[in-house]
Amino acid sequence: MAPKILDGKALSKTIRIELKKEIDTLTFVPTLAVILVGDDPASAVYVSGKERDCHKVGINSILHRLPAGIHEDTVRQLVSSLNDDPQVDGILIQLPLPSHLDEDTLVGSILPQKDVDGFLAVNQGLTLMGNPHALQPCTPMGVMELLTRNQIPIAGREAVVVGRSMTVGKPVAALLTNANATVTLCHSRTRNLQSHVERAEILVVAAGKRGVVDSSWIQPGAVVIDVGIHRLESGELTGDLDHTTLADRASAFTPVPGGVGPMTRTMLLKNTLKAAKSRRNIL
Ligand code: NAP
């Protein structure tokens, strides 16, 4: 049987329609403030994509574009004023920042209730605890939506996550654990990665390197989420895995592009709405 494609683009569209419907019923307009420092072309493209996404679902997005050489105190003052601004529901600092700025300090200065990227320790902790008030990190949240909305059973299954970053691997492992999977979290110091991957009924690969996981290791019938994004010399986008072999073995898998990427963007919108509602005590 042909594997099921876990189509993040189509699912994002569905979720965005749901979000727009809900936002249209509100008596206020959720607002996202985006801070872009410098003129890195890739960051500018990401930010304009986020602004477009917001606009389409009825979220107001306000861009604060700052010069590359800006002093850290000035950025901190801006974050502080956005924290205090009752009109602002979510704050996003586009990363990476120029090297003279301390990302951890600046991101850490965002009010947890406005941390729509879900990067702050408070939100990571609440995510780990399975607390429903957490603003969860967007990519892990998107991975879980891809699984649950495609009716992939999770409870009791062997899940293997490759990669332990705070933005992807660790929170994915936490969310899968909260959904009652039995989770193995692998990283660059894992011995015999193949033996772990072979056990996976659900495999999430977020190593950021092609070829770390050989698709021939994947057990027939496994569900595979490929988080990696790489641009080949040809300009084509691809994931961490070889998708030709993957398609022969998996029962379901995410394409690249069109899998996790669009879900990450959509989860930012979902978090902005969630932040806007919870600041107003709307459940
Ligand atoms: P990261 O911070 O570089 O983390 C990579 C992780 O992979 C680390 O934990 C590292 O282990 C592990 N790793 C590296 N080599 C390995 C090996 N040989 N065997 C086992 N584990 C290995 O990357 P990230 O931010 O999590 O992102 C991962 C990938 O996802 C990247 O390609 C990124 O572009 C992509 N991404 C996509 C989206 C999306 O929306 N689709 C969002 C975020 C990220 P150590 O901890 O031991 O170093």
Side-chain angles (χ1 to χ4, degrees):
M1 208 168 71
K4 180 172 185 175
I5 305 296
L6 303 174
D7 186 340
K9 205 169 161 193
L11 180 54
S12 281
K13 205 168 162 191
T14 305
I15 296 173
R16 287 175 194 210
I17 291 169
E18 292 169 6
L19 292 172
K20 177 156 186 6
K21 261 192 198 157
E22 186 174 351
I23 290 167
D24 285 348
T25 66
L26 299 174
T27 54
F28 57 89
V29 180
T31 295
L32 173 68
V34 177
I35 299 175
L36 173 63
V37 186
D39 30 43
D40 173 52
S43 292
V45 169
Y46 289 136
V47 164
S48 65
K50 286 168 188 173
E51 284 191 292
R52 220 172 26 248
D53 294 346
C54 283
H55 180 71
K56 284 189 185 156
V57 298
I59 292 174
N60 178 31
S61 90
I62 301 171
L63 176 61
H64 295 267
R65 199 181 262 274
L66 306 176
I70 197 157
H71 197 281
E72 189 163 308
D73 286 345
T74 315
V75 187
R76 201 169 319 150
Q77 279 159 17
L78 172 61
V79 175
S80 170
S81 73
L82 296 171
N83 282 340
D84 293 340
D85 186 339
Q87 300 299 324
V88 172
D89 297 300
I91 304 170
L92 180 153
I93 301 177
Q94 183 64 42
L95 302 178
L97 290 173
S99 57
H100 69 285
L101 299 175
D102 185 334
E103 287 184 359
D104 289 346
T105 307
L106 289 171
V107 172
S109 68
I110 296 173
L111 205 62
Q113 297 91 314
K114 298 190 179 189
D115 167 36
V116 285
D117 261 335
F119 286 167
L120 290 194
V122 172
N123 282 311
Q124 292 275 5
L126 292 172
T127 299
L128 188 65
M129 291 162 70
N131 186 305
H133 299 296
L135 288 170
Q136 297 173 352
C138 296
T139 302
M141 199 174 157
V143 167
M144 295 308 287
E145 291 255 7
L146 274 164
L147 294 172
T148 53
R149 296 235 191 181
N150 282 289
Q151 284 83 41
I152 306 286
I154 300 174
R157 295 182 98 187
E158 288 281 345
V160 174
V161 180
V162 181
R164 58 174 165 179
S165 71
M166 286 311 298
T167 47
V168 189
K170 275 187 195 167
V172 164
L175 292 173
L176 286 168
T177 305
N178 294 345
N180 298 313
T182 302
V183 182
T184 305
L185 182 56
C186 302
H187 45 79
S188 66
R189 305 288 293 272
T190 298
R191 278 183 288 138
N192 198 354
L193 182 62
Q194 177 173 354
S195 66
H196 297 287
V197 170
E198 282 173 348
R199 269 203 335 273
E201 295 174 284
I202 297 173
L203 175 68
V204 181
V205 183
K209 285 184 190 155
R210 302 201 71 216
V212 161
V213 174
D214 192 316
S215 296
S216 69
W217 300 343
I218 292 166
Q219 75 164 258
V223 173
V224 181
I225 308 283
D226 189 349
V227 182
I229 309 177
H230 307 273
R231 193 170 287 283
L232 300 177
E233 271 181 21
S234 62
E236 201 187 331
L237 282 181
T238 184
D240 279 353
L241 296 164
D242 170 356
H243 282 237
T244 315
T245 321
L246 175 60
D248 291 338
R249 303 184 74 81
S251 62
F253 70 93
T254 52
V256 181
V260 176
M263 292 301 293
T264 299
R265 282 171 63 169
T266 299
M267 294 305 105
L268 175 69
L269 305 174
K270 194 167 175 175
N271 268 349
T272 304
L273 174 59
K274 182 174 180 173
K277 284 166 60 184
S278 70
R279 288 182 59 242
R280 293 167 178 83
N281 295 319
I282 302 170
L283 292 177

